[in-house]
Amino acid sequence: MIEPAIPSRRKFLQNVGYISVGFSMFGGCIGKTDPAIAARFDYLGDLPRSMNQANQVNAWLEVSADGRVRVFSGKVELGQGIRVAVQMVAAEELDMELDKVTVHLAETDVTPNEGYTAGSGSIKSSAMSVRYAAATARTTLLQLASIKLELPIENLALYNGVIRSTVDKKSVTIQDLLEGAQIETEVKSPVQIKSKEDHKYVGKAIPREDIKKMVLGEQVYIQDLRFPGMVHARVVRPPNYRSELEHLDDSELNHAVPGIIKTVINGNFVGVIAEREYQAVKAARYLEMHSKWTTPEIFPAQEKLYDHIRNIAETPENIRDDGDVRVSLEQGRTLKATYTKPYIKHGSMGPGCAVALYHQGILHVWSNSQGIYPLREALAAMLKMDTEKIHIVSVPGAGCYGHSTPDDAAADACLLALDYPGKHIRVQWSRADEHAWEPYGSAIIADLEASLTESGKIGAWKSDIWTDSHSTRPNKDPGTLLAARYLENPMEMQSRGYRGGGHRNGDPYYAIPNLQLNAYYYDGPLRVTSLRSLGAFANIFAIESFMDELADKAGKDPLEFRLEHLEDQRAIAVIQKVKDLTADQVMAAGTGLGYAFGRYKNNDAYVAIAVKLAVDGTSGQVSIIKMWAAIDVGEVINLDGIKNQTEGGMIQAASWTLNEQVTFDQQKITSTDWSTYPILRFNDIPEVEVAVIDRPHEPVLGGGEAAGPPTGAAIANAIFRACGKRIYDLPVTPGKISS
Amino acid sequence: MPKYNLNINRAQTEVKVEADTPLLYVLRDHLELNGPKFGCGVAQCGSCLVLIDGEAVVSCTLPVSSVGKSEITTLEGLAGKDGKLHAVQEAFVKEQAAQCGYCLNGMIMSTVSMLNKNPDPEEDDIKKALQLNLCRCGAHTRMIKAVETAKNL
């Protein structure tokens, strides 16, 4: 049996109680006179938002009886490597060896509530909270040791869990010092943190321990959980979003498939539970064949999608309006273009899965949800239960970088667990259901218009962005869970979620005196939510393609044209860096080198991308040869983490750009497997190179989503340089180039 | 219910299971092996690969009744009895060739299978050998590097 480690945190706390340390902060830093101890300085800035409701050290870390430090993060592991980053900052501030620090990721009532693991925010919120909590813990431990050893703090040094006197032989371990209690000290500015010059781990490339488990098959994913007596379930999804069940005949199911435990029918929600997993697969197939559903026409014709979007959009909302765009656009040489991006899928390698157990009035849930606390609210509302009666453990799943199906699978498992209490119920989605029912990334239209002044600079710019919602993640609205909408008493989603993500990066980062951004929100036909970088991918594809068009119109080099419009030195530095990286490229006929820049959310990581590719003039086939990124995420935590994220971000975005769109007819989603929704395969994979500009004295910035958005535009710009064809509509299928 | 005597990871194992059950479900659900993963169930992604007589085979569509006496090796069976990692496993760790790691089983199985036949592959051979395997995180370039590292270990 494999089970994730169930922590004894609550029990531990009940048994040992707390100590409260209320000393005033001692002044002064421990200098470099002791070789084991690095200098500290007072961090005077703001604390992360995650600390608003979890401002005591013990919310973030504990000292175990064996002297290890256990760190708590409310974030979940998606493949981004948050675990090692959190481990590194804690070990750094406490001057511990890495292997003495363990990390416990999201679990309700155990870790802090950090909302969703999203928006490139895990380092900024969680890792920084752990940094300040660990630094505060160190200060408290030294204060306690000062009393116990009767020595001034200046004569004490903490290293690897032992506080030693620097003047005599006295020492005490941190676990002996605490005697089983935990540190309740409030974390508040100023916090004495380690001097950046003395960092042993932070800023270095530290390998992830979980990769060793993965190669051995020992990493436990949500799909790998196994409990004694666990049973297997499948949900039979309707043919489309609005289908109604007319008839279902399961009278012969028991004869057709062995091991059937029960069929659960609740309105249009149909589930089946069996002893063995493949029995559940066969039972679901049987029920599909022995049921009849309505299949109304609910989608517009795919080729008319963008017209449909324009028809249904609301009146626009003005997001930004600098200067006077209307007058300025009339005065200069103007250029207009429309760019479109279709619905795309998260396309996780592991379809939705969850385990639930209803036992003694408590509903236990295992999920790879990106937000276990908000999921708990949604489940409680759907099931009409108290949140206190729901316990959720986060377990790693297959990555997908957005709100995909884990929460929906958890809702399925909970509904079935309440119907069949006392057993662990494992729900596994099929590939076809994952592809047809996951919430997608919104289709987006960007209408851009800009004018050039006499000197060839941009005088005015207008972006009109047409977008659906970019977050329908679970919250206290039960309709955010798929299954809730199909119950006998259906709970429709009450709001359209977070629509602001649609105009993310819709206004260029460039210095333009007259600048307007308008958002045209629409309530579209397909289910949508957060997908890596939200609207930024489509918007930067549009803006950075348009920048190349404007540069050409102004008769300027595209990179110089960008630099002329930038004032932020860090933006200039990443562009300069990719320029240097590609300076020696020799371009053969039919090849092109394209560039793009983006500052994610216009306030986060800086990225410049270069793409070298070849276009086959006859077939229109694009072959990417190499992609380069220069990225500035401020202070780097794990150098290999940000490199890995940037490499992967470029490759995923290349797949979106060249291959991906959700397809549908008027009744159904028709891209239901990897042949109808192809993503990049190895033959298409180019070389990648990432240059990281480390700025240890700058605040950390979120880097996980930053590389994708400019990649699409850099590919489009390279295609134009290679063959003179401007790409306005994604994906770049060969037919769009050869036509 | 029929019984099958399977040769898995150098040991004989008997399972009682319906004949049409794909090998993947037998390995995961009956024998509690987590190496092979369910990814698509239609032989399109490579998550479920196992070695059958040294060659990578998709297990999600392979009925258990067709396996016979072949030697099945899963990810769990690659490392030596002393716990020493297989060269391919070692190389993937060395190159940190993963993000979420869900596809890693398939990547490693395809690589071992290729190296069994061609110990000195060029980059094109590597890409060809991994062509079935999908990865959504975009860790491909590290995986290619890991295969190049593995052939020299």
Side-chain angles (χ1 to χ4, degrees), chain B residues 76-97:
Chain B
E76 289 89 344
L78 279 187
K81 279 185 186 153
D82 54 356
K84 187 176 168 5
L85 296 186
H86 186 283
V88 176
Q89 293 171 311
E90 201 180 319
F92 272 73
V93 174
K94 182 162 184 280
E95 300 300 340
Q96 292 285 291

Side-chain angles (χ1 to χ4, degrees), chain A residues 243-249 267-268 291-295:
Chain A
S243 295
E244 304 233 345
L245 182 61
E246 292 185 313
H247 174 75
L248 184 143
D249 179 9
N268 292 308
S291 58
K292 195 164 178 288
W293 302 76
T294 63
T295 315

Side-chain angles (χ1 to χ4, degrees), chain B residues 6-7 23 52-53 62-72:
Chain B
L6 301 173
N7 178 349
L23 178 63
I52 296 193
D53 298 329
L62 182 72
V64 63
S65 53
S66 69
V67 175
K69 302 210 176 303
S70 310
E71 276 185 36
I72 302 164

Side-chain angles (χ1 to χ4, degrees), chain A residues 368-412:
Chain A
N368 59 320
S369 166
Q370 289 182 228
I372 54 161
Y373 282 98
L375 171 61
R376 182 163 72 164
E377 299 279 328
L379 290 172
M382 178 180 79
L383 303 167
K384 299 185 171 54
M385 286 178 74
D386 291 338
T387 50
E388 293 73 32
K389 305 276 188 209
I390 302 175
H391 166 227
I392 310 181
V393 183
S394 102
V395 185
C400 60
Y401 302 99
H403 166 221
S404 185
T405 57
D407 304 282
D408 295 326
D412 295 343

Side-chain angles (χ1 to χ4, degrees), chain A residues 400-718:
Chain A
C400 60
Y401 302 99
H403 166 221
S404 185
T405 57
D407 304 282
D408 295 326
D412 295 343
C414 289
L415 285 166
L416 297 170
L418 288 181
D419 212 277
Y420 191 64
K423 292 276 189 188
H424 291 81
I425 313 262
R426 178 182 182 274
V427 169
Q428 167 73 64
W429 283 31
S430 69
R431 170 54 56 196
D433 284 348
E434 179 82 8
H435 265 45
W437 286 87
E438 71 147 276
Y440 305 121
S442 172
I444 288 180
I445 306 168
D447 288 334
L448 304 186
E449 187 176 355
S451 65
L452 292 170
T453 62
E454 282 179 14
S455 62
K457 286 192 76 175
I458 303 168
W461 180 297
K462 184 158 82 79
S463 297
D464 288 337
I465 309 296
W466 309 67
T467 180
D468 200 339
S469 177
H470 287 266
S471 175
T472 58
R473 290 180 184 274
N475 55 40
K476 59 183 187 299
D477 174 3
T480 52
L481 297 170
L482 183 65
R485 305 175 203 173
Y486 296 89
L487 300 176
E488 197 173 347
N489 297 309
M491 301 169 214
E492 290 301 326
M493 202 164 63
Q494 297 302 306
S495 83
R496 292 295 301 160
Y498 174 53
R499 306 198 296 183
H503 58 75
R504 177 172 289 177
N505 285 105
D507 46 337
Y509 194 63
Y510 302 104
I512 299 169
N514 304 290
L515 178 60
Q516 192 180 81
L517 169 63
N518 303 304
Y520 292 72
Y521 298 119
Y522 68 89
D523 183 356
L526 271 62
R527 188 180 181 217
V528 290
T529 192
S530 312
L531 192 149
R532 197 176 191 181
S533 84
L534 312 189
F537 172 67
N539 296 336
I540 288 191
F541 158 66
I543 287 173
E544 288 293 298
S545 294
F546 202 48
M547 283 298 285
D548 260 35
E549 292 197 72
L550 287 166
D552 288 351
K553 195 175 175 79
K556 295 183 180 179
D557 170 80
L559 283 184
E560 293 305 320
F561 184 69
R562 284 173 173 80
L563 294 172
E564 276 181 21
H565 289 88
L566 283 168
E567 291 162 351
D568 184 335
Q569 290 305 312
R570 293 171 69 177
I572 292 167
V574 291
I575 291 179
Q576 199 59 53
K577 185 72 192 176
V578 283
K579 192 179 172 189
D580 295 346
L581 288 171
T582 52
D584 60 351
Q585 289 301 308
V586 180
M587 306 307 294
T591 64
L593 190 56
Y595 298 92
F597 160 79
R599 182 173 189 198
Y600 186 48
K601 302 178 190 172
N602 284 342
N603 65 16
D604 219 326
Y606 301 81
V607 180
I609 301 281
V611 170
K612 181 181 182 181
L613 52 73
V615 178
D616 182 319
T618 314
S619 67
Q621 188 69 44
V622 174
S623 306
I624 303 180
I625 299 161
K626 183 164 181 181
M627 303 194 283
W628 295 261
I631 183 164
D632 170 356
V633 291
E635 181 189 6
V636 171
I637 303 298
N638 188 355
L639 181 61
D640 199 50
I642 191 61
K643 277 191 171 169
N644 202 350
Q645 284 288 293
T646 305
E647 292 165 7
M650 285 193 281
I651 289 172
Q652 190 179 36
S655 183
W656 296 338
T657 305
L658 296 181
N659 282 31
E660 300 186 28
Q661 68 177 324
V662 178
T663 60
F664 48 89
D665 62 23
Q666 287 182 274
Q667 288 179 304
K668 287 182 193 170
I669 301 293
T670 52
S671 42
T672 54
D673 61 15
W674 295 120
S675 66
T676 47
Y677 190 87
I679 63 173
L680 282 198
R681 288 188 183 269
F682 270 90
N683 274 354
D684 311 313
I685 297 299
E687 196 183 334
V688 294
E689 184 177 338
V690 176
V692 180
I693 299 176
D694 188 8
R695 299 187 186 275
H697 297 287
E698 294 289 343
V700 298
L701 297 173
E705 299 168 288
T711 300
I715 291 170
N717 290 336

Side-chain angles (χ1 to χ4, degrees), chain A residues 223-446:
Chain A
Q223 289 86 352
D224 299 330
L225 294 178
R226 243 174 241 118
F227 300 90
M230 183 173 84
V231 294
H232 295 268
R234 288 291 184 281
V235 172
V236 180
R237 297 275 171 219
N240 77 28
Y241 297 157
R242 296 280 156 215
S243 295
E244 304 233 345
L245 182 61
E246 292 185 313
H247 174 75
L248 184 143
D249 179 9
D250 65 347
S251 55
E252 296 295 315
L253 175 61
N254 276 315
H255 300 292
V257 182
I260 301 300
I261 294 170
K262 73 186 295 189
T263 306
V264 177
I265 302 171
N266 181 344
N268 292 308
F269 176 84
V270 177
V272 61
I273 307 172
E275 286 167 13
R276 288 291 183 184
E277 185 171 6
Y278 196 64
Q279 293 166 344
V281 173
K282 285 198 287 187
R285 273 186 213 147
Y286 179 95
L287 292 175
E288 267 171 37
M289 290 168 65
H290 291 81
S291 58
K292 195 164 178 288
W293 302 76
T294 63
T295 315
E297 291 192 355
I298 55 170
F299 297 139
Q302 177 139 25
E303 63 276 15
K304 303 267 190 209
L305 174 65
Y306 298 116
D307 294 337
H308 178 75
I309 286 171
R310 289 182 191 275
N311 287 336
I312 62 173
E314 299 167 12
T315 52
E317 186 180 317
N318 177 252
I319 307 298
R320 183 172 167 186
D321 201 2
D322 302 351
D324 188 339
V325 167
R326 196 175 47 83
V327 171
S328 310
L329 283 173
E330 283 166 6
Q331 286 170 349
R333 289 177 286 165
T334 62
L335 195 65
K336 282 186 186 183
T338 293
Y339 301 86
T340 48
K341 188 222 80 169
Y343 290 101
I344 56 175
K345 301 190 194 218
H346 297 84
S348 173
M349 283 296 110
C353 183
V355 178
L357 164 71
Y358 187 57
H359 180 57
Q360 295 180 345
I362 303 288
L363 183 60
H364 300 272
V365 187
W366 290 262
S367 172
N368 59 320
S369 166
Q370 289 182 228
I372 54 161
Y373 282 98
L375 171 61
R376 182 163 72 164
E377 299 279 328
L379 290 172
M382 178 180 79
L383 303 167
K384 299 185 171 54
M385 286 178 74
D386 291 338
T387 50
E388 293 73 32
K389 305 276 188 209
I390 302 175
H391 166 227
I392 310 181
V393 183
S394 102
V395 185
C400 60
Y401 302 99
H403 166 221
S404 185
T405 57
D407 304 282
D408 295 326
D412 295 343
C414 289
L415 285 166
L416 297 170
L418 288 181
D419 212 277
Y420 191 64
K423 292 276 189 188
H424 291 81
I425 313 262
R426 178 182 182 274
V427 169
Q428 167 73 64
W429 283 31
S430 69
R431 170 54 56 196
D433 284 348
E434 179 82 8
H435 265 45
W437 286 87
E438 71 147 276
Y440 305 121
S442 172
I444 288 180
I445 306 168

Side-chain angles (χ1 to χ4, degrees), chain A residues 3 40 184 202 212 261 318 516 558:
Chain A
E3 224 180 310
R40 257 69 185 176
E184 273 194 329
V202 168
K212 187 170 177 195
I261 294 170
N318 177 252
Q516 192 180 81

